[in-house]
mmCIF file of all heavy atoms in Angstrom:
data_model
loop_
_atom_site.group_PDB
_atom_site.id
_atom_site.type_symbol
_atom_site.label_atom_id
_atom_site.label_comp_id
_atom_site.label_asym_id
_atom_site.label_seq_id
_atom_site.Cartn_x
_atom_site.Cartn_y
_atom_site.Cartn_z
ATOM 1 N N SER A 27 109.337 40.694 -9.028
ATOM 2 C CA SER A 27 110.274 39.969 -8.147
ATOM 3 C C SER A 27 109.843 38.508 -8.030
ATOM 4 O O SER A 27 109.247 38.090 -7.040
ATOM 5 C CB SER A 27 110.306 40.633 -6.775
ATOM 6 O OG SER A 27 110.692 41.979 -6.875
ATOM 7 N N ILE A 28 110.170 37.729 -9.028
ATOM 8 C CA ILE A 28 109.652 36.364 -9.086
ATOM 9 C C ILE A 28 110.759 35.310 -9.104
ATOM 10 O O ILE A 28 110.512 34.167 -9.483
ATOM 11 C CB ILE A 28 108.718 36.174 -10.306
ATOM 12 C CG1 ILE A 28 109.472 36.510 -11.591
ATOM 13 C CG2 ILE A 28 107.469 37.026 -10.156
ATOM 14 C CD1 ILE A 28 108.677 36.170 -12.844
ATOM 15 N N SER A 29 111.954 35.661 -8.697
ATOM 16 C CA SER A 29 113.051 34.701 -8.768
ATOM 17 C C SER A 29 112.833 33.498 -7.861
ATOM 18 O O SER A 29 113.374 32.433 -8.094
ATOM 19 C CB SER A 29 114.377 35.392 -8.413
ATOM 20 O OG SER A 29 114.332 35.898 -7.089
ATOM 21 N N THR A 30 112.024 33.686 -6.802
ATOM 22 C CA THR A 30 111.766 32.577 -5.879
ATOM 23 C C THR A 30 110.387 31.974 -6.090
ATOM 24 O O THR A 30 109.817 31.347 -5.186
ATOM 25 C CB THR A 30 111.916 33.043 -4.423
ATOM 26 O OG1 THR A 30 110.999 34.112 -4.190
ATOM 27 C CG2 THR A 30 113.331 33.490 -4.129
ATOM 28 N N LEU A 31 109.871 32.125 -7.295
ATOM 29 C CA LEU A 31 108.544 31.586 -7.598
ATOM 30 C C LEU A 31 108.494 30.094 -7.325
ATOM 31 O O LEU A 31 109.340 29.347 -7.820
ATOM 32 C CB LEU A 31 108.206 31.878 -9.059
ATOM 33 C CG LEU A 31 106.820 31.474 -9.553
ATOM 34 C CD1 LEU A 31 105.739 32.254 -8.826
ATOM 35 C CD2 LEU A 31 106.723 31.711 -11.053
ATOM 36 N N ARG A 32 107.515 29.649 -6.578
ATOM 37 C CA ARG A 32 107.406 28.234 -6.207
ATOM 38 C C ARG A 32 106.320 27.524 -7.010
ATOM 39 O O ARG A 32 106.507 26.389 -7.455
ATOM 40 C CB ARG A 32 107.099 28.113 -4.720
ATOM 41 C CG ARG A 32 106.931 26.688 -4.222
ATOM 42 C CD ARG A 32 107.063 26.633 -2.705
ATOM 43 N NE ARG A 32 106.052 27.415 -2.000
ATOM 44 C CZ ARG A 32 104.944 26.896 -1.490
ATOM 45 N NH1 ARG A 32 104.682 25.613 -1.652
ATOM 46 N NH2 ARG A 32 104.094 27.652 -0.825
ATOM 47 N N SER A 33 105.200 28.193 -7.196
ATOM 48 C CA SER A 33 104.123 27.575 -7.960
ATOM 49 C C SER A 33 103.173 28.649 -8.460
ATOM 50 O O SER A 33 103.108 29.751 -7.913
ATOM 51 C CB SER A 33 103.347 26.567 -7.106
ATOM 52 O OG SER A 33 102.615 27.212 -6.083
ATOM 53 N N MET A 34 102.451 28.297 -9.497
ATOM 54 C CA MET A 34 101.377 29.149 -10.014
ATOM 55 C C MET A 34 100.146 28.287 -10.190
ATOM 56 O O MET A 34 100.251 27.077 -10.449
ATOM 57 C CB MET A 34 101.780 29.789 -11.343
ATOM 58 C CG MET A 34 102.925 30.771 -11.235
ATOM 59 S SD MET A 34 103.415 31.487 -12.828
ATOM 60 C CE MET A 34 101.985 32.505 -13.193
ATOM 61 N N GLY A 35 99.001 28.905 -10.058
ATOM 62 C CA GLY A 35 97.793 28.117 -10.156
ATOM 63 C C GLY A 35 96.581 28.948 -10.505
ATOM 64 O O GLY A 35 96.671 30.163 -10.716
ATOM 65 N N TRP A 36 95.454 28.257 -10.548
ATOM 66 C CA TRP A 36 94.185 28.885 -10.891
ATOM 67 C C TRP A 36 93.126 28.563 -9.847
ATOM 68 O O TRP A 36 93.023 27.423 -9.376
ATOM 69 C CB TRP A 36 93.703 28.375 -12.250
ATOM 70 C CG TRP A 36 94.521 28.855 -13.397
ATOM 71 C CD1 TRP A 36 95.533 28.177 -14.022
ATOM 72 C CD2 TRP A 36 94.401 30.115 -14.065
ATOM 73 N NE1 TRP A 36 96.053 28.948 -15.031
ATOM 74 C CE2 TRP A 36 95.366 30.146 -15.079
ATOM 75 C CE3 TRP A 36 93.561 31.218 -13.917
ATOM 76 C CZ2 TRP A 36 95.538 31.227 -15.926
ATOM 77 C CZ3 TRP A 36 93.727 32.291 -14.763
ATOM 78 C CH2 TRP A 36 94.703 32.295 -15.756
ATOM 79 N N TYR A 37 92.360 29.585 -9.535
ATOM 80 C CA TYR A 37 91.187 29.474 -8.685
ATOM 81 C C TYR A 37 90.036 30.145 -9.416
ATOM 82 O O TYR A 37 90.246 30.886 -10.376
ATOM 83 C CB TYR A 37 91.411 30.199 -7.352
ATOM 84 C CG TYR A 37 92.378 29.540 -6.411
ATOM 85 C CD1 TYR A 37 93.743 29.476 -6.685
ATOM 86 C CD2 TYR A 37 91.943 29.001 -5.197
ATOM 87 C CE1 TYR A 37 94.630 28.882 -5.815
ATOM 88 C CE2 TYR A 37 92.827 28.413 -4.301
ATOM 89 C CZ TYR A 37 94.167 28.358 -4.627
ATOM 90 O OH TYR A 37 95.047 27.780 -3.744
ATOM 91 N N ARG A 38 88.841 29.914 -8.949
ATOM 92 C CA ARG A 38 87.697 30.643 -9.478
ATOM 93 C C ARG A 38 86.710 30.941 -8.358
ATOM 94 O O ARG A 38 86.689 30.252 -7.338
ATOM 95 C CB ARG A 38 87.006 29.858 -10.592
ATOM 96 C CG ARG A 38 86.261 28.619 -10.128
ATOM 97 C CD ARG A 38 85.635 27.890 -11.303
ATOM 98 N NE ARG A 38 84.925 26.681 -10.871
ATOM 99 C CZ ARG A 38 84.379 25.818 -11.707
ATOM 100 N NH1 ARG A 38 84.440 26.019 -13.034
ATOM 101 N NH2 ARG A 38 83.751 24.756 -11.235
ATOM 102 N N GLN A 39 85.918 31.980 -8.602
ATOM 103 C CA GLN A 39 84.912 32.356 -7.624
ATOM 104 C C GLN A 39 83.642 32.756 -8.349
ATOM 105 O O GLN A 39 83.627 33.723 -9.105
ATOM 106 C CB GLN A 39 85.401 33.508 -6.748
ATOM 107 C CG GLN A 39 84.462 33.829 -5.601
ATOM 108 C CD GLN A 39 85.105 34.734 -4.571
ATOM 109 O OE1 GLN A 39 86.088 35.419 -4.843
ATOM 110 N NE2 GLN A 39 84.554 34.730 -3.365
ATOM 111 N N ALA A 40 82.599 31.977 -8.106
ATOM 112 C CA ALA A 40 81.284 32.276 -8.662
ATOM 113 C C ALA A 40 80.540 33.182 -7.683
ATOM 114 O O ALA A 40 80.839 33.184 -6.481
ATOM 115 C CB ALA A 40 80.523 30.989 -8.901
ATOM 116 N N PRO A 41 79.573 33.928 -8.166
ATOM 117 C CA PRO A 41 78.827 34.840 -7.284
ATOM 118 C C PRO A 41 78.228 34.102 -6.088
ATOM 119 O O PRO A 41 77.579 33.070 -6.245
ATOM 120 C CB PRO A 41 77.739 35.391 -8.199
ATOM 121 C CG PRO A 41 78.305 35.282 -9.569
ATOM 122 C CD PRO A 41 79.141 34.043 -9.564
ATOM 123 N N GLY A 42 78.479 34.636 -4.911
ATOM 124 C CA GLY A 42 77.904 34.075 -3.703
ATOM 125 C C GLY A 42 78.600 32.840 -3.180
ATOM 126 O O GLY A 42 78.159 32.263 -2.164
ATOM 127 N N LEU A 43 79.664 32.435 -3.827
ATOM 128 C CA LEU A 43 80.378 31.235 -3.405
ATOM 129 C C LEU A 43 81.820 31.570 -3.039
ATOM 130 O O LEU A 43 82.363 32.570 -3.507
ATOM 131 C CB LEU A 43 80.356 30.183 -4.520
ATOM 132 C CG LEU A 43 78.992 29.624 -4.890
ATOM 133 C CD1 LEU A 43 79.110 28.662 -6.066
ATOM 134 C CD2 LEU A 43 78.347 28.934 -3.690
ATOM 135 N N PRO A 44 82.448 30.719 -2.225
ATOM 136 C CA PRO A 44 83.850 30.975 -1.884
ATOM 137 C C PRO A 44 84.773 30.685 -3.075
ATOM 138 O O PRO A 44 84.397 29.966 -4.004
ATOM 139 C CB PRO A 44 84.113 30.001 -0.730
ATOM 140 C CG PRO A 44 83.107 28.922 -0.907
ATOM 141 C CD PRO A 44 81.902 29.554 -1.504
ATOM 142 N N ARG A 45 85.943 31.233 -3.007
ATOM 143 C CA ARG A 45 86.932 30.972 -4.050
ATOM 144 C C ARG A 45 87.370 29.517 -3.944
ATOM 145 O O ARG A 45 87.648 29.021 -2.856
ATOM 146 C CB ARG A 45 88.123 31.912 -3.874
ATOM 147 C CG ARG A 45 89.070 31.940 -5.039
ATOM 148 C CD ARG A 45 90.081 33.071 -4.890
ATOM 149 N NE ARG A 45 89.439 34.382 -4.900
ATOM 150 C CZ ARG A 45 90.116 35.525 -4.945
ATOM 151 N NH1 ARG A 45 91.442 35.525 -4.992
ATOM 152 N NH2 ARG A 45 89.469 36.676 -4.935
ATOM 153 N N GLU A 46 87.440 28.851 -5.075
ATOM 154 C CA GLU A 46 87.796 27.442 -5.059
ATOM 155 C C GLU A 46 89.037 27.172 -5.910
ATOM 156 O O GLU A 46 89.239 27.769 -6.969
ATOM 157 C CB GLU A 46 86.633 26.562 -5.560
ATOM 158 C CG GLU A 46 86.225 26.772 -6.991
ATOM 159 C CD GLU A 46 85.238 25.734 -7.494
ATOM 160 O OE1 GLU A 46 85.208 24.606 -6.954
ATOM 161 O OE2 GLU A 46 84.496 26.051 -8.448
ATOM 162 N N PHE A 47 89.832 26.259 -5.414
ATOM 163 C CA PHE A 47 91.051 25.856 -6.106
ATOM 164 C C PHE A 47 90.708 24.984 -7.306
ATOM 165 O O PHE A 47 89.828 24.117 -7.237
ATOM 166 C CB PHE A 47 91.938 25.081 -5.138
ATOM 167 C CG PHE A 47 93.097 24.381 -5.776
ATOM 168 C CD1 PHE A 47 94.185 25.104 -6.238
ATOM 169 C CD2 PHE A 47 93.095 23.005 -5.923
ATOM 170 C CE1 PHE A 47 95.255 24.465 -6.837
ATOM 171 C CE2 PHE A 47 94.156 22.358 -6.510
ATOM 172 C CZ PHE A 47 95.246 23.088 -6.967
#
Side-chain angles (χ1 to χ4, degrees):
S27 301
I28 58 172
S29 61
T30 59
L31 184 64
R32 179 162 62 98
S33 68
M34 294 179 69
W36 290 98
Y37 289 69
R38 70 181 179 185
Q39 187 167 20
L43 295 176
R45 192 170 297 188
E46 64 171 335
F47 169 73

